Amino acid sequence: MYKKDNMQEITNAIVDYKDIDLLRKFINDQGKIMSRRSTGLNTKQQKKVTKSIKRARILSLLPFLKKD
């Protein structure tokens, strides 16, 4: 899904639960968190992204499910 060249921009960016635009890149159309294989992140980065997405969901900055 993502190329390794584009991932350098994301890995250099600070992953924060308040940065919704960055976190939306790691959520698919159903609202599920994308896997490491499809994002190209390493384990530490994926855990940070996952924690940030879950925090944003609890604070209702991101939806748990996308209803269409």
Side-chain angles (χ1 to χ4, degrees):
M1 183 122 204
Y2 289 102
K3 294 182 180 178
K4 294 287 182 181
D5 300 333
N6 295 339
M7 293 313 296
Q8 290 177 353
E9 299 169 6
I10 294 173
T11 55
N12 291 338
I14 298 171
V15 179
D16 191 21
Y17 68 94
K18 294 175 263 184
D19 191 4
I20 298 170
D21 296 330
L22 179 68
L23 295 179
R24 284 184 196 262
K25 294 179 183 178
F26 298 103
I27 298 177
N28 65 8
D29 352 342
Q30 296 176 338
K32 295 181 180 179
I33 300 172
M34 296 172 73
S35 66
R36 272 185 57 214
R37 184 186 306 173
S38 57
T39 58
L41 299 174
N42 62 23
T43 309
K44 274 187 178 179
Q45 294 165 342
Q46 183 69 24
K47 284 183 182 179
K48 284 183 182 179
V49 167
T50 304
K51 274 193 170 186
S52 298
I53 290 173
K54 289 181 179 182
R55 281 186 186 155
R57 283 177 174 169
I58 289 172
L59 294 172
S60 67
L61 298 174
L62 285 174
F64 281 95
L65 298 174
K66 289 196 176 182
K67 296 180 182 177
D68 289 332

